[in-house]
Amino acid sequence: MIIYKTKDYQDMSRKAAQVIAAQITMKPDCVLGLATGSSPVGLYQHLVEQYNNKELDFSKVTSVNLDEYKGLAPDHEQSYRRFMDSNLFDHVNIDKSRTFVPNGLEEDSSKACSDYNQTIQKAGGVDLQLLGIGNNGHIGFNEPGEAFECETHCVELTPSTIEANKRFFASEADVPRYAYTMGIRNIMQAKKILLIASGRAKAQALKEALYGPVTPHVPASILQLHADVVVVADEEALELID
Ligand code: F6R
């Protein structure tokens, strides 16, 4: 595991974008596993900037996103599909037919999940998986206590995640209660993992994930067992680690 300590969010975003840019440059037809949330917004801006400067070409890239709220249509303001379109896909030359997000409108959870596992498999597996980390140590929507061996599955969001995500919705009652998420098994099958974290709110989770026991109670702790993990985190997120 390589840990890069950056000064702040901007610096984290720049450094993490470099890791993704290097992946695309080295393998133009790579499969990127992507994440949503506040953490990657700056990173996506850097990728768009590099594309505009003709330093990056997304034309052969395939992407698979980690997760999607169950019940939200792709064009819903808070859907993760919409997030990806407005933060990245609409601004670069990626072929949208090769950008995948779990189907939030599929009511049959086992179908939605097995379809998504097949999508990942058909794409040839993930070359580089980008991850944020939840305040409770979750990755994707893999909440504390879930089995490590899960593939894509439907989860009931914990009160802590609903609380953290309500900032994006009109009220807490509007936050969907279920989501489809890649499982830890899918994540661990990625060839390389890039974990980003910024801010004090992440410090405890990051410390437990990187240096605590490997336990389903801290889903991100499983990353200690992956052979190729790069962590890019700012000083505040790393403040509990010597
Ligand atoms: C997003 C995702 C989540 C977030 C995590 C951190 O696709 O899967 O695990 O990465 O909740 O969220 P932010 O970045 O908003 O702090």
Side-chain angles (χ1 to χ4, degrees):
M1 182 179 289
I2 300 175
I3 303 176
Y4 290 104
K5 187 188 217 170
T6 66
K7 201 164 119 325
D8 52 19
Y9 179 83
Q10 279 311 325
D11 205 17
M12 175 199 80
S13 303
R14 197 172 322 113
K15 181 72 200 162
Q18 280 170 4
V19 176
I20 296 191
Q23 173 68 63
I24 298 171
T25 304
M26 277 159 32
K27 187 178 177 195
D29 60 347
C30 63
V31 179
L32 297 179
L34 297 176
T36 60
S38 317
S39 307
V41 170
L43 176 170
Y44 292 147
Q45 284 166 359
H46 278 282
L47 292 179
V48 171
E49 213 175 286
Q50 290 187 45
Y51 167 72
N52 287 335
N53 293 339
K54 306 201 185 326
E55 292 159 11
L56 269 185
D57 176 12
F58 288 81
S59 62
K60 297 196 180 93
V61 170
T62 296
S63 71
V64 283
N65 259 78
L66 278 170
D67 41 20
E68 179 61 285
Y69 289 115
K70 182 176 179 183
L72 293 197
D75 60 353
H76 185 285
E77 260 204 336
Q78 295 306 334
S79 79
Y80 285 173
R81 157 59 69 185
R82 177 91 177 260
F83 175 101
M84 289 312 302
D85 285 347
S86 57
N87 282 282
L88 183 65
F89 301 154
D90 284 347
H91 311 290
V92 297
N93 65 338
I94 198 163
D95 176 351
K96 278 218 192 162
S97 69
R98 283 210 303 266
T99 64
F100 301 98
V101 178
N103 180 3
L105 283 187
E106 176 57 69
E107 282 174 23
D108 177 346
S109 298
S110 53
K111 179 171 180 343
C113 297
S114 68
D115 284 355
Y116 205 61
N117 286 330
Q118 273 180 30
T119 299
I120 299 168
Q121 213 178 358
K122 267 198 222 150
V126 174
D127 290 298
L128 173 62
Q129 177 66 55
L130 172 66
L131 297 175
I133 181 169
N135 298 349
N136 61 3
H138 74 210
I139 45 177
F141 272 125
N142 294 279
E143 301 283 18
E146 279 187 60
F148 278 152
E149 58 271 20
C150 287
E151 294 196 312
T152 308
H153 58 295
C154 180
V155 287
E156 185 170 4
L157 305 191
T158 60
S160 124
T161 299
I162 292 170
E163 172 66 25
N165 289 8
K166 75 175 186 201
R167 66 194 195 274
F168 300 113
F169 292 83
S171 75
E172 187 185 309
D174 292 319
V175 183
R177 266 35 188 179
Y178 293 90
Y180 296 134
T181 182
M182 275 190 204
I184 296 289
R185 188 176 184 146
N186 303 104
I187 292 171
M188 289 296 280
Q189 281 167 350
K191 294 193 186 92
K192 188 182 187 80
I193 291 178
L194 169 61
L195 175 70
I196 56 173
S198 168
R200 239 167 232 131
K202 301 294 170 69
Q204 185 62 31
L206 200 58
K207 181 183 173 187
E208 289 175 21
L210 303 186
Y211 293 103
V214 175
T215 162
H217 296 297
V218 183
S221 63
I222 190 77
L223 301 177
Q224 293 176 38
L225 304 183
H226 192 283
D228 191 357
V229 178
V230 176
V231 179
V232 184
D234 66 13
E235 282 171 9
E236 287 190 359
L238 287 169
E239 74 178 6
L240 298 178
I241 297 171
D242 287 337

